Coordinates of all heavy atoms in Angstrom, one line a residue:
F37 N 1.1 -1.8 2.8 CA 1.1 -2.6 1.5 C 0.4 -4.0 1.6 O -0.4 -4.3 0.8 CB 2.6 -2.8 1.0 CG 2.7 -3.7 -0.2 CD1 2.5 -3.2 -1.5 CD2 3.3 -4.9 0.0 CE1 2.6 -4.0 -2.5 CE2 3.5 -5.7 -1.2 CZ 3.2 -5.2 -2.5
I41 N -3.1 -5.0 -0.6 CA -3.2 -6.2 -1.6 C -4.1 -7.2 -1.0 O -4.7 -7.8 -1.8 CB -1.7 -6.7 -1.9 CG1 -1.0 -7.3 -0.8 CG2 -0.9 -5.6 -2.6 CD1 0.2 -8.1 -1.2
D47 N -6.1 -0.7 -6.3 CA -4.8 -0.7 -7.2 C -4.2 0.6 -7.1 O -2.8 0.8 -6.9 CB -5.1 -1.0 -8.6 CG -5.6 -2.5 -8.8 OD1 -5.6 -3.2 -7.7 OD2 -5.8 -2.9 -9.9
V50 N -2.3 0.8 -3.8 CA -1.2 -0.1 -3.8 C 0.0 0.5 -4.6 O 1.1 0.5 -4.1 CB -1.7 -1.4 -4.5 CG1 -0.4 -2.3 -4.6 CG2 -2.6 -2.2 -3.6
K51 N -0.3 1.1 -5.6 CA 0.9 1.7 -6.5 C 1.5 2.8 -5.7 O 2.7 2.9 -5.6 CB 0.3 2.3 -7.8 CG -0.1 1.3 -8.8 CD -0.6 2.1 -10.1 CE -1.1 1.1 -11.1 NZ -1.7 1.8 -12.3
I54 N 3.6 1.2 -3.0 CA 4.8 0.5 -3.5 C 5.9 1.6 -3.5 O 7.0 1.4 -3.2 CB 4.6 -0.1 -4.9 CG1 3.8 -1.4 -4.7 CG2 5.9 -0.4 -5.6 CD1 3.3 -1.9 -6.1
K64 N 12.3 -4.1 -3.8 CA 11.3 -4.9 -4.6 C 11.4 -6.3 -4.1 O 10.3 -6.9 -4.0 CB 11.7 -4.9 -6.1 CG 10.8 -5.7 -7.0 CD 11.0 -5.6 -8.4 CE 9.9 -6.3 -9.2 NZ 10.1 -6.1 -10.7
L68 N 8.2 -8.3 -3.0 CA 7.9 -9.6 -3.5 C 7.7 -10.8 -2.5 O 6.8 -11.6 -2.6 CB 8.9 -10.0 -4.7 CG 8.7 -11.3 -5.4 CD1 7.4 -11.3 -6.1 CD2 9.9 -11.5 -6.4
I71 N 4.4 -10.5 -0.8 CA 3.4 -11.0 -1.7 C 3.4 -12.5 -1.6 O 2.2 -13.1 -1.5 CB 3.5 -10.6 -3.2 CG1 3.3 -9.0 -3.3 CG2 2.6 -11.3 -4.0 CD1 3.7 -8.4 -4.6
Y80 N -4.6 -16.6 -5.4 CA -3.8 -16.2 -6.6 C -4.3 -14.9 -7.3 O -3.4 -14.2 -7.8 CB -3.8 -17.4 -7.6 CG -2.8 -18.5 -7.2 CD1 -3.2 -19.6 -6.6 CD2 -1.5 -18.4 -7.6 CE1 -2.2 -20.6 -6.1 CE2 -0.5 -19.3 -7.3 CZ -0.9 -20.4 -6.5 OH -0.1 -21.2 -6.1
P81 N -5.6 -14.7 -7.5 CA -6.0 -13.5 -8.1 C -5.4 -12.2 -7.5 O -4.8 -11.3 -8.2 CB -7.5 -13.5 -8.1 CG -7.9 -14.9 -8.0 CD -6.8 -15.5 -7.1
R82 N -5.4 -12.1 -6.2 CA -5.0 -10.9 -5.5 C -3.4 -10.9 -5.6 O -2.7 -9.8 -5.7 CB -5.5 -10.7 -4.1 CG -7.0 -10.3 -4.1 CD -7.4 -10.2 -2.9 NE -8.9 -9.8 -3.1 CZ -9.9 -9.8 -2.1 NH1 -9.5 -10.2 -0.9 NH2 -11.1 -9.4 -2.4
T83 N -2.8 -12.1 -5.4 CA -1.4 -12.2 -5.5 C -0.8 -11.7 -6.9 O 0.1 -11.0 -7.0 CB -0.9 -13.6 -5.2 OG1 -1.4 -14.0 -3.9 CG2 0.6 -13.7 -5.4
L84 N -1.5 -12.3 -7.9 CA -1.1 -11.9 -9.3 C -1.3 -10.3 -9.6 O -0.4 -9.8 -10.3 CB -1.8 -12.8 -10.3 CG -1.3 -14.2 -10.3 CD1 -2.2 -15.1 -11.2 CD2 0.1 -14.4 -10.5
T85 N -2.4 -9.8 -9.1 CA -2.7 -8.5 -9.3 C -1.5 -7.6 -8.5 O -1.0 -6.7 -9.1 CB -3.9 -8.1 -8.7 OG1 -5.0 -8.7 -9.4 CG2 -4.2 -6.5 -8.8
A86 N -1.2 -8.0 -7.4 CA -0.1 -7.3 -6.7 C 1.2 -7.4 -7.3 O 1.9 -6.4 -7.5 CB 0.0 -7.9 -5.3
L87 N 1.5 -8.6 -7.9 CA 2.8 -8.8 -8.6 C 2.8 -7.9 -9.9 O 3.8 -7.3 -10.2 CB 2.8 -10.2 -9.1 CG 4.1 -10.6 -9.8 CD1 5.4 -10.2 -9.1 CD2 4.1 -12.1 -10.1
N88 N 1.6 -7.8 -10.7 CA 1.6 -6.9 -11.8 C 1.8 -5.5 -11.4 O 2.5 -4.7 -12.2 CB 0.3 -7.2 -12.6 CG 0.2 -8.5 -13.3 OD1 1.2 -9.1 -13.6 ND2 -1.0 -9.0 -13.5
L89 N 1.1 -5.0 -10.3 CA 1.3 -3.7 -9.9 C 2.8 -3.4 -9.5 O 3.3 -2.3 -9.8 CB 0.4 -3.4 -8.8 CG -1.1 -3.4 -9.2 CD1 -1.9 -3.2 -7.8 CD2 -1.5 -2.3 -10.0
L90 N 3.4 -4.4 -8.8 CA 4.8 -4.2 -8.4 C 5.6 -4.1 -9.6 O 6.5 -3.2 -9.8 CB 5.2 -5.4 -7.6 CG 6.6 -5.4 -7.0 CD1 6.9 -4.2 -6.2 CD2 6.9 -6.7 -6.3
N91 N 5.4 -4.9 -10.6 CA 6.2 -4.8 -11.9 C 6.0 -3.6 -12.7 O 6.9 -3.2 -13.4 CB 6.1 -6.1 -12.7 CG 6.8 -7.3 -12.1 OD1 7.8 -7.2 -11.5 ND2 6.2 -8.5 -12.3
E92 N 4.8 -3.1 -12.5 CA 4.5 -1.8 -13.2 C 5.3 -0.6 -12.6 O 5.8 0.2 -13.4 CB 3.0 -1.6 -13.1 CG 2.5 -0.2 -13.9 CD 1.1 -0.1 -13.8 OE1 0.3 -1.0 -13.7 OE2 0.6 1.1 -13.7
I93 N 5.3 -0.6 -11.4 CA 6.0 0.5 -10.6 C 7.5 0.3 -10.6 O 8.3 1.2 -10.8 CB 5.4 0.7 -9.2 CG1 3.9 0.9 -9.2 CG2 6.1 1.8 -8.4 CD1 3.5 2.1 -10.1
I94 N 8.0 -0.9 -10.4 CA 9.4 -1.3 -10.3 C 9.5 -2.4 -11.5 O 9.4 -3.5 -11.2 CB 9.8 -1.8 -9.0 CG1 9.4 -0.9 -8.0 CG2 11.4 -2.0 -9.0 CD1 9.7 -1.4 -6.5
P95 N 9.8 -2.0 -12.8 CA 10.0 -3.0 -13.9 C 11.0 -4.0 -13.6 O 12.0 -3.8 -12.8 CB 10.3 -2.1 -15.0 CG 9.8 -0.8 -14.6 CD 10.0 -0.7 -13.1
E96 N 10.8 -5.2 -14.2 CA 11.8 -6.3 -14.1 C 13.0 -5.8 -14.8 O 13.0 -5.1 -15.8 CB 11.2 -7.5 -14.9 CG 10.0 -8.2 -14.1 CD 10.5 -9.1 -13.0 OE1 11.6 -9.4 -12.9 OE2 9.6 -9.2 -12.1

Side-chain angles (χ1 to χ4, degrees):
F37 172 73
I41 66 173
D47 294 3
V50 171
K51 289 179 184 181
I54 290 169
K64 185 174 183 175
L68 181 58
I71 294 168
Y80 280 97
R82 289 183 179 160
T83 298
L84 294 174
T85 297
L87 181 59
N88 287 334
L89 295 171
L90 180 60
N91 285 329
E92 181 181 328
I93 302 302
I94 309 172
E96 293 281 337

